Amino acid sequence: MDLVSVSYGQEFNFYSERLPSWNGWLASMVLDSNGNHIGVDGTSKSISNSMDIHLLMALRAKSDVIVTTGKTARIEAYKASRFAPIAIVSRQPKPLDGIPAFSQTGDFKSIVLRSDGLELDFDDLGRQLRTLGFNRFLFEGGPSTMSQLLRSDVASELVLSVVDVDASQKLEPRRIAETRLGLGPEFVLADDFLAERNRVTRWVRTG
């Protein structure tokens, strides 16, 4: 693990330079040190911090499209991003009308991706996105759908941020990722660093 110092106001540039671009799917998740993905308000906002916000922006800036589910979009009240269009996966597109990403005008038009199965078919979703001209997909979802992506056969990476970690704490990111997100042995650790009090790891599928 690297211990890095990030200058105030340079967080976005730091993450942008540290984390490389990708092809296919990249999943991004924020957890607290107990493995929780939401806080007391029922959203990820109450466990994340400013470092996580800059991490999210840096990844969004590198992506062609930001993909999430209808459930996550409703809970987190997704808004349009200035970095890339939002694509929301849903079996019932009509209830998405009240989500700010659709009801408010942004820099990009939001997209609906059709999914008919109980589990997400990321291979099919990738084909839909490539047909629209996208190649770098950033997936932001809950642990269940994140696990579906990581268990699938599609090319994928995971960037995991564990917030408010004591530098002396012997945290095991792989164990947390395995337990909470279903990370398999085919994923290898590509980067591991502590940015302020956030432990950030990047995992890449090899098989």
Side-chain angles (χ1 to χ4, degrees), residues 15 68 147 164 170 180:
Y15 282 127
T68 191
S147 178
D164 291 330
K170 293 183 178 180
R180 297 293 293 149

Side-chain angles (χ1 to χ4, degrees), residues 13 27 49 61 65 67 79 97 129 132 151 158 163 176 190 202:
N13 291 337
N49 55 34
V65 61
V67 184
K79 298 179 181 178
D97 292 347
L129 292 167
L132 296 172
R151 293 199 318 267
L158 168 68
V163 302
I176 291 180
R202 183 170 69 90

